[in-house]
Amino acid sequence: TDEFPYVWVPAKAERVLDFSETLIISEGAEPKPLRLFPHQCFDIGLPYGWVHRDTGFRRFRRSYLSVARQNGKSFTNGIHGTYSAGFSGYHHGKLFTVATKRRQAKIAWDEMKKFIEADKDLSELFRIQEWRNIIGARETGCTIEALSREGGLDEGFRSICTSIDELHQMKDNSIYSNLYRGTRALDETLISMITTRGDDLDSFAFEIDKLAVNVLEGTVELEDFFCNIYCADDTDDKFSDEALMKANPFLWNTSRGRTSLLEDAKTAQ
């Protein structure tokens, strides 16, 4: 409609999901193929599947993912970055993984590096320059760079895909604002903010979280903002299986993760 000019194109979501499941997880005793859980299909596929009916450009330019630790936030952004740099159809684009601290900024970047090094074909398509914190896509000319406030992140960048890690550690919106302003001329971009939510009420992350809650509840309309908050509801028994599953969608789907959650809940009680 004129009021809502977006359409769902399953093939666009399926393309990034199919790519994701060609990746190899090298961490662990033996390499293994990546198999997505349903919540990961939602988080990864949805930003690519909604497009403008006239232009075909993606609807979502910003995303906010809040979930407990060890549930694959940086892993998800690693998929976004690898796909966007090498297979989105964009050439000579800039991609960044960003955080207040250099070590944190490297986490999503390292996820991309591991995907590339684990796959012979990807290793031929990308060049990793560890000493510069840059990954280059040979065929598209795109680059992925890890940046931090410690390393001088103080200006806007024209980025087609940005991972902002541990948003709750940012006291103000300066990093986000600089990055967001740099994307205004781009037809498509994705600024993906990830966080464990934190507990600092005097922070930029708290303001973004409130905005995300309002969007999810329908009191605020932001058509370019995809947000997903994994948490127990206020009415849930916080130690129940249902609450643990809601707050830990990845861990609950793994045998070891579920066992650890149940043991931790029992200990806490």
Side-chain angles (χ1 to χ4, degrees):
T1 66
D2 291 338
E3 292 76 22
F4 186 79
Y6 302 102
V7 293
W8 173 249
V9 182
K12 289 183 176 292
E14 289 166 2
R15 187 172 188 268
V16 68
L17 297 179
D18 288 344
F19 165 78
S20 301
E21 294 204 329
T22 68
L23 298 172
I24 296 172
I25 299 174
S26 59
E27 187 173 337
E30 294 289 341
K32 55 184 179 291
L34 191 161
R35 293 294 177 261
L36 297 172
F37 292 121
H39 77 280
Q40 293 174 312
C41 292
F42 180 78
D43 289 336
I44 295 168
L46 192 141
Y48 297 89
W50 280 103
V51 300
H52 194 282
R53 67 179 183 184
D54 298 325
T55 66
F57 294 134
R58 296 196 307 266
R59 168 188 172 186
F60 293 111
R61 301 173 65 85
R62 300 175 287 173
S63 68
Y64 175 78
L65 174 62
S66 173
V67 68
R69 294 190 183 281
Q70 301 300 308
N71 278 280
K73 299 183 302 298
S74 300
F75 182 86
T76 297
N77 275 358
I79 294 173
H80 282 312
T82 309
Y83 177 79
S84 296
F87 305 96
S88 68
Y90 199 94
H91 290 78
H92 305 291
K94 302 291 185 184
L95 296 85
F96 301 101
T97 62
V98 173
T100 56
K101 298 179 181 179
R102 184 180 292 105
R103 182 177 179 182
Q104 196 69 46
K106 282 290 294 294
I107 292 178
W109 190 93
D110 282 336
E111 294 292 344
M112 302 178 209
K113 175 176 175 282
K114 287 187 288 187
F115 287 144
I116 293 165
E117 291 181 334
D119 186 295
K120 181 180 178 182
D121 293 334
L122 286 182
S123 295
E124 293 176 355
L125 293 172
F126 289 89
R127 181 189 178 201
I128 298 171
Q129 301 176 68
E130 183 86 43
W131 70 97
R132 297 178 61 198
N133 294 329
I134 291 178
I135 298 171
R138 298 181 191 276
E139 292 192 359
T140 66
C142 293
T143 58
I144 308 164
E145 183 175 0
L147 296 172
S148 68
R149 174 167 281 172
E150 287 178 341
L153 176 58
D154 57 2
E155 57 182 294
F157 295 90
R158 186 178 157 103
S159 173
I160 63 168
C161 182
T162 301
S163 167
I164 302 182
D165 209 338
E166 298 296 8
L167 191 72
H168 59 276
Q169 293 182 357
M170 297 182 180
K171 289 295 184 182
D172 57 50
N173 70 351
S174 57
I175 291 177
Y176 166 80
S177 295
N178 286 334
L179 290 162
Y180 183 62
R181 285 195 295 267
T183 67
R184 287 173 175 167
L186 295 173
D187 292 322
E188 292 184 325
T189 187
L190 182 64
I191 297 179
S192 178
M193 296 170 277
I194 55 178
T195 181
T196 56
R197 221 170 187 184
D199 56 7
D200 186 355
L201 303 186
D202 183 25
S203 67
F204 170 60
F206 181 68
E207 296 301 319
I208 285 288
D209 192 81
K210 286 197 301 183
L211 177 63
V213 169
N214 289 334
V215 170
L216 292 169
E217 292 179 343
T219 59
V220 172
E221 290 188 9
L222 285 175
E223 298 297 354
D224 75 334
F225 189 29
F226 169 56
C227 36
N228 201 357
I229 299 173
Y230 289 99
C231 65
D233 293 317
D234 291 339
T235 56
D236 287 339
D237 172 0
K238 297 302 187 289
F239 299 110
S240 68
D241 288 4
E242 183 179 11
L244 295 173
M245 176 182 65
K246 288 177 180 178
N248 299 274
F250 177 79
L251 289 176
W252 190 259
N253 277 295
T254 67
S255 176
R256 178 64 259 174
R258 183 179 299 193
T259 299
S260 295
L261 289 171
L262 292 172
E263 289 173 347
D264 290 347
K266 189 174 181 179
T267 301
Q269 293 180 77

